[in-house]
Amino acid sequence: MTALRDLFGPSREEIWRQLSTLVHGHYVDGGFWHGDKVQATHGSWTVTLDRHVVSTGKVTIVYTRIRAPYVNPSRFRFRIYRRSLFSDLGKALGMQDIEVGDAAFDEAFIIKGNDEAKVRRLFSKIGIRGLINAQPEIELSVKDDEGWFGPAFPHGVDELQFLAHGVIKDLDQLKGLYQMFAEVLEELCRMGTAYDTDPHVDL
């Protein structure tokens, strides 16, 4: 085991258990069928880290996923991800993104949302932009549910969700993601687009 650890570094489970301690959460061993996860509370919200597997029939893709259901009274939604050749192609075809006034940030990311003023207010926060910019890969969005295979959400409850390809085992990166969730949720609360109340959703 020591030789393998020296060769490949700490295991995902080891890193995730360390993370659970650092964020005052708990590590849940879900076994073979459900997989393991890390859950921590921030205010009335529960932030859950796990692996998300998507199969296309020919290819299986593994993501690192972080989710936090919350009460969203205004139904404000957004999606932010790093700019790429394909995202620029989408923009050329009419998929315009919202700019927040930070030239470097606007150049690096595509942001879409259903309320331009709220998008600009949320991403006007230097701390939030810094935490997002620290992630080498990021797709952060607000979703209304998790589709056919996820839990049913009560009316007025949405989910803040992060996705990245592969399994993240960098402890500092994971800590940054938990901090990002905390700051985004707090800012949404200040904006009146989230309530610091229990959404009554178990992930």
Side-chain angles (χ1 to χ4, degrees), residues 168-180:
I168 297 176
K169 296 197 301 179
D170 184 292
L171 187 57
D172 287 336
Q173 185 180 356
L174 291 167
K175 285 165 52 184
L177 285 167
Y178 265 81
Q179 184 180 354
M180 179 183 71

Side-chain angles (χ1 to χ4, degrees), residues 8-168:
F8 296 108
S11 68
R12 176 200 49 76
E13 180 179 339
E14 184 178 348
I15 294 297
W16 285 21
R17 285 186 181 275
Q18 290 179 33
L19 176 70
S20 69
T21 300
L22 289 171
V23 298
H24 306 290
H26 57 282
Y27 180 90
V28 181
D29 186 348
F32 177 79
W33 292 109
H34 298 287
D36 51 357
K37 58 189 176 183
V38 176
Q39 291 190 308
T41 57
H42 184 77
S44 299
W45 306 299
T46 299
V47 182
T48 300
L49 162 71
D50 65 5
R51 289 174 295 174
H52 181 53
V53 180
V54 177
S55 177
T56 65
K58 295 181 179 179
V59 178
T60 298
I61 305 171
V62 179
Y63 296 91
T64 296
R65 177 175 64 174
I66 303 179
R67 299 169 290 164
Y70 68 97
V71 178
N72 183 358
S74 67
R75 312 300 285 175
F76 169 54
R77 299 205 178 102
F78 68 86
R79 179 174 175 241
I80 179 170
Y81 51 96
R82 283 198 174 273
R83 190 182 299 275
S84 69
L85 174 64
F86 297 106
S87 61
D88 283 339
L89 177 62
K91 185 175 180 179
L93 294 173
M95 297 170 59
Q96 296 298 315
D97 63 295
I98 300 170
E99 296 186 346
V100 299
D102 178 325
F105 193 80
D106 288 334
E107 179 65 26
F109 295 95
I110 297 286
I111 311 175
K112 300 185 182 299
N114 61 0
D115 188 315
E116 189 170 335
K118 288 177 180 176
V119 166
R120 286 180 171 158
R121 176 175 171 181
L122 175 63
F123 294 105
S124 71
K125 304 302 176 183
I126 295 175
I128 289 175
R129 294 204 307 273
L131 289 164
I132 289 172
N133 205 35
Q135 295 300 319
E137 180 185 350
I138 185 168
E139 180 180 328
L140 183 68
S141 63
V142 174
K143 304 186 68 174
D144 59 349
D145 58 40
E146 295 194 349
W148 292 102
F149 301 105
F153 286 2
H155 178 71
V157 173
D158 286 343
E159 177 181 272
L160 184 65
Q161 183 184 100
F162 163 87
L163 285 175
H165 288 91
V167 178
I168 297 176

